[in-house]
Amino acid sequence: MKGVVLVGGEGTRLRPLTLHLPKPVVPIVNRPFLERMVRWMSGYGVREIILALGYLPDKIRERLGDGGALGVNLAYSVEEAPLGTAGAVKHAAGYLTDTCFVFNGDILTDLDLAAMLAAHRRAQAVVSIALTPVDDPTQYGVVEFDAEGRVQRFVEKPRPDEVRSHYINAGTYLIEPAVLERVPAGQYWMFERQLFPELVAAGERVFAFPTDAYWIDIGTPEKYRQVHADLLAGRLGDHLGNPHGDGLWAGDGCQIDPSATLIGPVALGDRVRIGPGAVVSGPTVIGADSVIGANAHVAESILWERVQVGEGAIVSECIIANDCRVECQAYRAILGARVVVEPGNRLDRGIRVWPERVIPRDTLRFG
Ligand code: GTP
């Protein structure tokens, strides 16, 4: 079966992490996000996968190639300018001949795709939309549906007194390719705001597939950290590395000094080194070839690859991209690739440091 994954967004909310690396391949517990998604899809027989993209396409291609290593066939549909969610699928229409899945490429979920397909067929729907419940729908696109599951209305950010459904669009769809005839070629067009409401207005069979499956949009720093906490808590039963007991997973060739303290859940990539007296507490992920210096503290943080945390440095609730060197105290900071922060600095309050910046000794202090 075929699936189109929408991966053309610029991931602005995750900057600076996404300035050099598109959101679909940012690491989630040491593996590119899309790799996890592809494994989930292929587990349901969705093995002909079309990636619809435009932003940094080569960075995605060089990591995933033709999909052979993941047991799927990957094709790339590249937009010169972003065409929106429906426009992007229209652009890929040449690949689509039958019912197909469409996925937002920044959602981690364990949704049962087989059950969704069965419901789609039963309902003889032209479009099925997976929905997830939220406590407060006033910030989302809400979908109202009747007792049979047939979609009645889409309401964008309803006022509290307007709320008639707590279900929001979960970013997984099944579509019959014929509906794409309503999407103008080469134009920016959205499923949520244009095609789907238009189909409902025309009396077409658009169905809801409400589910309480695990569901999270990885697109903000808070959610990105939440995904890690959830995976390390075993929420999705993922393979996180070689288990070492007590909530510790480690890749190959790690060197942990016997005087270091690790308090799980902690996942280490390959060849991570942790120096004497260092303390690492979870939920924390440390990427391959990273080095945690003597007496350094790392807590509740996500470090990508080749990150160096200097002797005695503190890193807490941070997200740190590849090849950074941190020799200071960093709390709730987000560092782009290759940033260097020299000693005598204190980062705090969600500060975001753009790639390749060097913060010299004794420059930054908060409060
Ligand atoms: P932000 O800039 O942080 O909002 O991120 P985003 O644009 O990457 O994500 P958003 O939540 O707006 O979009 C949801 C999904 O659709 C993401 O996986 C995007 O990659 C994808 N997407 C959004 N717009 C386009 C587009 O014009 N073309 C394609 N191919 N994909 C898109």
Side-chain angles (χ1 to χ4, degrees):
M1 180 147 190
K2 288 186 178 168
V4 181
V5 190
L6 298 166
V7 285
E10 292 189 13
T12 50
R13 290 164 300 159
L14 265 188
R15 285 180 183 166
L17 302 170
T18 43
L19 285 169
H20 293 311
L21 200 63
K23 183 165 60 175
V25 288
V26 298
I28 303 284
V29 192
N30 295 322
R31 276 160 49 190
F33 174 66
L34 259 184
E35 198 182 301
R36 280 176 195 282
M37 244 189 118
V38 165
R39 285 187 201 281
W40 160 68
M41 288 153 63
S42 77
Y44 286 101
V46 182
R47 299 203 181 95
E48 299 289 320
I49 299 170
I50 300 108
L51 299 181
L53 73 177
Y55 179 65
L56 302 177
D58 295 343
K59 300 273 183 182
I60 298 186
R61 236 190 263 264
E62 81 199 14
R63 276 171 182 76
L64 299 174
D66 65 3
L70 297 169
V72 299
N73 284 322
L74 284 185
Y76 294 81
S77 169
V78 182
E79 294 146 57
E80 265 175 40
L83 290 172
T85 49
V89 178
K90 172 81 173 186
H91 189 66
Y95 292 102
L96 310 175
T97 47
D98 206 348
T99 314
C100 74
F101 278 101
V102 176
F103 305 95
N104 274 7
D106 55 0
I107 304 291
L108 186 67
T109 175
D110 59 1
L111 175 68
D112 182 342
L113 297 179
M116 184 170 173
L117 180 59
H120 180 81
R121 299 256 193 256
R122 252 194 328 271
Q124 296 182 316
V126 293
V127 167
S128 295
I129 306 170
L131 305 181
T132 189
V134 290
D135 290 336
D136 175 13
T138 55
Q139 293 310 309
Y140 296 94
V142 172
V143 183
E144 294 177 6
F145 51 95
D146 68 14
E148 271 76 57
R150 193 158 178 171
V151 173
Q152 305 292 308
R153 207 158 74 106
F154 297 87
V155 191
E156 203 47 44
K157 298 192 177 158
R159 290 195 318 266
D161 61 314
E162 278 182 324
V163 172
R164 280 183 198 85
S165 161
H166 280 258
Y167 281 97
I168 63 163
N169 179 347
T172 299
Y173 318 116
L174 270 163
I175 65 167
E176 297 303 318
V179 300
L180 296 173
E181 283 162 23
R182 291 176 177 271
V183 179
Q187 271 193 51
Y188 191 91
W189 212 255
M190 295 296 280
F191 280 130
E192 311 81 324
R193 291 198 292 277
Q194 290 165 293
L195 181 63
F196 293 164
E198 213 182 287
L199 288 168
V200 169
E204 296 276 8
R205 298 179 70 79
V206 177
F207 275 74
F209 185 70
T211 154
D212 55 7
Y214 178 84
W215 182 90
I216 193 166
D217 160 357
I218 66 155
T220 64
E222 298 72 34
K223 296 285 179 61
Y224 181 72
R225 287 189 45 228
Q226 183 64 47
V227 166
H228 283 80
D230 290 346
L231 288 178
L232 293 182
R235 185 69 181 76
L236 285 179
D238 260 46
H239 174 77
L240 303 173
N242 309 318
H244 284 255
D246 284 342
L248 172 64
W249 296 267
D252 297 332
C254 291
Q255 294 174 27
I256 303 171
D257 190 275
S259 65
T261 307
L262 273 67
I263 306 160
V266 170
L268 309 178
D270 293 339
R271 299 172 300 279
V272 169
R273 282 183 285 147
I274 300 186
V279 179
V280 178
S281 58
T284 284
V285 175
I286 302 180
D289 300 298
S290 293
V291 180
I292 311 302
N295 302 313
H297 281 223
V298 178
E300 297 179 51
S301 293
I302 300 144
L303 278 50
W304 295 7
E305 297 183 358
R306 300 176 299 280
V307 172
Q308 296 176 47
V309 176
E311 190 173 331
I314 297 176
V315 170
S316 177
E317 297 181 45
C318 293
I319 308 171
I320 302 185
N322 292 343
D323 301 293
C324 288
R325 179 154 53 85
V326 183
E327 299 185 281
C328 65
Q329 297 181 16
Y331 302 91
R332 293 174 289 277
I334 305 175
L335 272 51
R338 295 179 289 285
V339 165
V340 175
V341 192
E342 295 183 345
N345 290 297
R346 182 189 160 104
L347 311 182
D348 205 336
R349 300 192 196 151
I351 184 175
R352 300 184 185 212
V353 185
W354 252 229
E356 276 143 42
R357 295 292 152 90
V358 176
I359 302 181
R361 196 175 272 271
D362 301 323
T363 318
L364 274 181
R365 294 243 136 226
F366 283 79

